[in-house]
Amino acid sequence: MTPTTETMVGIGGAAESTDMVLNIGPQHPSTHGVLRLKLVLDGERITRAEPVIGYMHRGAEKLFEARDYRQIIVLANRHDWLSAFSNELGVVLAVERMLGMEVPGRAVWTRTLLAELNRVLNHLMFLGSYPLELGGITPVFYAFREREVLQNVMEEVSGGRMHYMFNRVGGLKEDLPAGWTARAREAVAAVRSRMDVFDDLVLGNEIFRGRTRGVGVLTPQAVHAYGVSGPLARASGVDFDLRRDEPYLAYGELQDVLKVVTREEGDCLARFECLLEQTHNALDLADACLDRLAELPPGPINQRLPKVLKAPEGHTYAWTENPLGINGYYLVSKGEKTPYRLKLRSASYNNIQALTELLPGTLVADMVAILGSMFFVVGDIDK
């Protein structure tokens, strides 16, 4: 019998599959806020993802209960610091609905105008910061240039650059400054004339398209399951926009200008395209509002309120199409000057939860591309 020789080869850890837990954060990546992602990896592929939130929680919903209906606006103003005007708007709409109050026409059209300018400001930040997260630094400089043009007119009318505090129950804080509408029209035209920077410089970049096409596909089923809304949902083919489907403010009269932008792919590229095209449409809506304001006769821009404002006992729900998605406000009143309960449904909270389904199966190298394309603000998550 021929003797046999056995050789033992050491193969180390490759003999068994081992998972690695990787913490992304807590950190403050650019404009989004302090977020932590807990990832479980198998090699370079993500097998499980958990967004860990709460690092910026300020208890705004509880503080609402200790402030009167004028004071709560300052709290609601801040959770999504890129959409301050839209945040204020949802609160005052809920209170006005409880009071059965009708707002003057000038206030309705001015609110619509400022909401669309705020939408452009929000979107420009993400249009600039998303390429930055993928290694392209140039677009963010252009984004801030355009933001400054619009920030100047927003600051002139409200006195604030970031937290406008211009909405009031019954209308707006005060009328528009003399000549402001002409300056606003010039600002809108200036921004529109330079938007091709993002159309060509970003979308025309083959590296950007290579990093985003087919990456992070969000299905319509996941959109419905997690309550995702706004440009993220529409990029996955979910055709829903409150401005068209349940019009508020003056949107019912702007249906011929309003365009609901959708895509079917549901990937990072589709989300960016939706955001960019929606920015173009918001500029068109702002122009339409300026045209209508020029036709309106002089009149009040707010309602006179009693010294102590009390909402009648009951409850109501108001929702708005904020730049990042649907914001909802559930207001419960016991007839006092403070809300008994004001529950805030913020867009970013639902949108970020979809990461638990979106990230597993993808590569770590694609994680930043997917995370940045979710277009969230962490203050809007933590409230």
Side-chain angles (χ1 to χ4, degrees), residues 25-339:
Q27 59 188 352
H28 196 301
S30 184
T31 59
H32 305 311
V34 183
L35 177 72
R36 174 187 170 204
L37 277 181
K38 184 179 176 183
L39 306 179
V40 179
L41 308 180
D42 182 6
E44 293 187 20
R45 198 164 294 278
I46 299 169
T47 59
R48 195 162 68 251
E50 177 189 355
V52 182
I53 63 175
Y55 292 96
M56 297 190 68
H57 183 60
R58 292 159 288 178
E61 290 179 343
K62 194 64 182 173
L63 292 173
F64 286 150
E65 300 170 16
R67 307 289 191 277
D68 67 33
Y69 289 106
R70 293 179 175 92
Q71 295 169 329
I72 60 176
I73 299 173
V74 74
L75 293 171
N77 182 285
R78 285 161 161 72
H79 55 88
D80 175 0
W81 46 78
L82 297 178
S83 310
F85 187 87
S86 302
N87 299 340
E88 304 168 11
L89 189 59
V91 172
V92 296
L93 288 176
V95 178
E96 288 163 3
R97 182 174 294 178
M98 286 285 284
L99 294 168
M101 180 181 291
E102 188 172 341
V103 176
R106 284 183 62 80
V108 171
W109 281 97
T110 306
R111 280 177 172 179
T112 311
L113 166 62
L114 296 175
E116 290 306 310
L117 292 179
N118 192 194
R119 192 180 309 277
V120 177
L121 284 168
N122 175 289
H123 290 356
L124 280 171
M125 178 63 80
F126 289 106
L127 292 173
S129 68
Y130 185 43
L132 179 65
E133 290 163 359
L134 296 180
I137 193 172
T138 307
V140 76
F141 296 124
Y142 290 110
F144 269 85
R145 180 185 66 181
E146 310 314 329
R147 276 175 55 84
E148 282 301 312
V149 173
L150 294 176
Q151 285 281 31
N152 288 339
V153 295
M154 293 291 282
E155 183 178 9
E156 182 186 357
V157 74
S158 68
R161 284 181 59 81
M162 203 167 172
H163 304 302
Y164 305 109
M165 278 302 297
F166 197 54
N167 277 289
R168 295 292 186 274
V169 176
L172 293 167
K173 175 187 173 186
E174 56 196 6
D175 209 343
L176 303 174
W180 181 87
T181 52
R183 291 187 289 277
R185 194 183 293 277
E186 290 172 4
V188 169
V191 172
R192 181 187 286 109
S193 69
R194 297 192 289 257
M195 283 299 292
D196 61 336
V197 166
F198 301 99
D199 295 317
D200 302 333
L201 184 66
V202 181
L203 280 183
N205 186 291
E206 61 183 78
I207 298 175
F208 178 83
R209 299 183 75 87
R211 289 290 307 274
T212 55
R213 186 192 288 113
V215 175
V217 176
L218 184 65
T219 65
Q221 293 77 19
V223 166
H224 293 301
Y226 287 92
V228 175
S229 59
L232 274 63
R234 293 191 284 273
S236 296
V238 179
D239 188 4
F240 182 72
D241 190 314
L242 285 176
R243 297 173 297 169
R244 179 197 63 194
D245 301 321
E246 290 200 21
Y248 58 99
L249 293 183
Y251 290 115
E253 300 180 48
L254 291 169
Q255 296 300 305
D256 55 335
V257 183
L258 176 64
K259 179 183 178 184
V260 180
V261 183
T262 61
R263 292 289 187 275
E264 297 298 327
E265 296 83 1
D267 57 9
C268 296
L269 181 60
R271 291 191 277 274
F272 186 87
E273 288 176 342
C274 274
L275 204 72
L276 179 55
E277 199 170 333
Q278 190 168 283
T279 307
H280 284 285
N281 186 239
L283 292 169
D284 295 338
L285 288 166
D287 266 340
C289 291
L290 286 165
D291 291 340
R292 183 58 187 269
L293 280 171
E295 299 170 358
L296 290 178
I301 203 160
N302 50 36
Q303 295 275 27
R304 291 185 65 86
L305 300 176
K307 187 173 182 180
V308 178
L309 180 64
K310 295 183 178 181
E313 188 169 350
H315 60 91
T316 190
Y317 184 76
W319 56 351
T320 57
E321 186 70 41
N322 268 36
L324 297 180
I326 293 173
N327 270 32
Y329 304 83
Y330 179 60
L331 173 63
V332 181
S333 171
K334 294 289 187 180
E336 302 296 331
K337 66 177 182 179
T338 61

Side-chain angles (χ1 to χ4, degrees), residues 5-16:
T5 304
E6 294 183 2
T7 304
M8 181 67 70
V9 179
I11 57 176
E16 57 185 68

